[in-house]
């Protein structure tokens, strides 16, 4: 595109014998905030206005190629301001994100602390219930042992009674046998199981 514009300038140069003056880039002023070129009103000859029309396109295609003018400084200052504004926005955004992360971490740690305290409370209740159950189990076990001991004692007493009764019956049988032998009589009930 720059080559086409250069060709246009060369093509129009033979029509106008004088080259365009050097301060022409100064004629284009740019607003620092809006960055739009402002063209000064043409007060020159019609031939020079043609040159201005051709040069009009040159600043649009390469505004940074002009050197040493207030236009370059304005453009540079506008870019610096824009970069500064963007860096402030980026810093603000990072700050807000960091605040949000910190706030979320604080809330998450509070939730974790709450959860841990509730778990500890429930575990303490569970241990208390387990201790109570263990105590009850021990009491019931002791009661059962006592009952077992009592049953064992009663069983021993009954065994002793059975042994004593057996001994008495054996003694009675021996006495009766001795009596039958002495008298020569036979018992009435002989082998009672038959």
């Amino acid at each position: 595109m720059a080559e086409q514009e250069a060709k246009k300038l060369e093509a129009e140069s033979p029509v106008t014998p004088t080259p365009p003056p050097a301060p022409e880039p100064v004629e284009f002023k740019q607003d620092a905030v809006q960055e739009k070129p402002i063209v000064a009103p043409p007060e020159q000859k019609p031939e020079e206005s043609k040159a201005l029309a051709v040069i009009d396109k040159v600043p649009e295609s390469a505004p940074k190629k002009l050197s040493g003018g207030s236009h370059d400084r304005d453009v540079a200052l506008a870019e610096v301001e824009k970069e500064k504004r963007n860096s402030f926005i980026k810093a603000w955004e990072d700050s807000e994100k960091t605040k949000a992360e910190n706030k979320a971490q604080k809330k998450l740690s509070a939730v974790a602390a709450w959860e841990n305290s509730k778990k500890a409370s429930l575990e303490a209740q569970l241990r208390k219930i387990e201790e109570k159950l263990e105590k009850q189990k021990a009491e019931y076990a002791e009661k059962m042992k006592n009952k077992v001991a009592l049953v064992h004692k009663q069983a021993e007493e009954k065994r002793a009674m059975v042994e004593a009764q057996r001994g008495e019956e054996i003694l009675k049988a021996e006495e009766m046998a001795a009596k039958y032998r002495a008298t020569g009589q036979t018992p009435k009930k002989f082998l009672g199981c038959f």
Side-chain angles (χ1 to χ4, degrees):
M1 184 170 196
E3 292 176 9
Q4 291 175 354
E5 291 174 8
K7 288 180 182 178
K8 286 181 184 179
L9 286 175
E10 288 176 8
E12 291 181 9
S13 292
V15 175
T16 58
T18 58
E24 282 183 349
V26 179
E27 290 179 13
F28 296 101
K29 293 184 180 177
Q30 183 177 18
D31 188 15
V33 178
Q34 296 178 358
E35 297 185 10
K36 294 181 181 177
I38 301 173
V39 179
E43 298 177 2
Q44 299 174 354
K45 300 176 184 177
E47 292 177 1
E48 290 180 9
S49 64
K50 279 186 177 180
L52 286 178
V54 174
I55 295 176
D56 245 349
K57 295 180 182 178
V58 173
E60 290 178 8
S61 64
K64 293 182 180 180
K65 291 184 180 179
L66 300 175
S67 61
S70 64
H71 179 271
D72 289 339
R73 186 180 61 217
D74 291 343
V75 170
L77 287 175
E79 285 183 23
V80 167
E81 285 295 321
K82 185 177 179 182
E83 288 175 11
K84 184 178 178 182
R85 186 172 49 248
N86 287 339
S87 67
F88 282 139
I89 291 170
K90 180 69 175 164
W92 177 85
E93 180 184 12
D94 291 343
S95 173
E96 290 298 313
K97 285 180 181 178
T98 304
K99 283 181 190 176
E101 286 293 325
N102 291 342
K103 188 175 181 181
Q105 287 297 325
K106 187 176 181 181
K107 286 183 179 181
L108 287 175
S109 65
V111 168
W114 175 82
E115 180 185 17
N116 290 338
S117 68
K118 290 295 182 181
K119 279 183 180 179
S121 173
L122 292 173
E123 287 173 0
Q125 286 179 355
L126 179 64
R127 282 194 299 274
K128 190 175 181 181
I129 291 170
E130 286 176 349
E131 289 173 5
K132 184 179 176 183
L133 290 174
E134 287 293 324
K135 187 177 179 182
Q136 286 179 349
K137 182 180 175 183
E139 288 174 0
Y140 283 127
E142 191 170 335
K143 284 181 182 179
M144 292 300 122
K145 286 180 183 178
N146 290 342
K147 286 184 180 180
V148 167
L150 182 63
V151 168
H152 183 66
K153 182 181 176 184
Q154 290 172 349
E156 288 295 322
E157 289 173 357
K158 288 182 180 184
R159 281 188 198 109
M161 288 178 67
V162 168
E163 288 292 324
Q165 193 175 10
R166 184 185 71 154
E168 286 177 9
E169 287 179 2
I170 289 175
L171 245 158
K172 190 177 177 182
E174 286 176 358
E175 286 176 3
M176 290 296 281
K179 184 179 172 186
Y180 286 132
R181 281 186 198 114
T183 59
Q185 294 179 352
T186 58
K188 294 180 183 176
K189 294 181 180 178
F190 184 66
L191 301 173
C193 30
F194 290 106

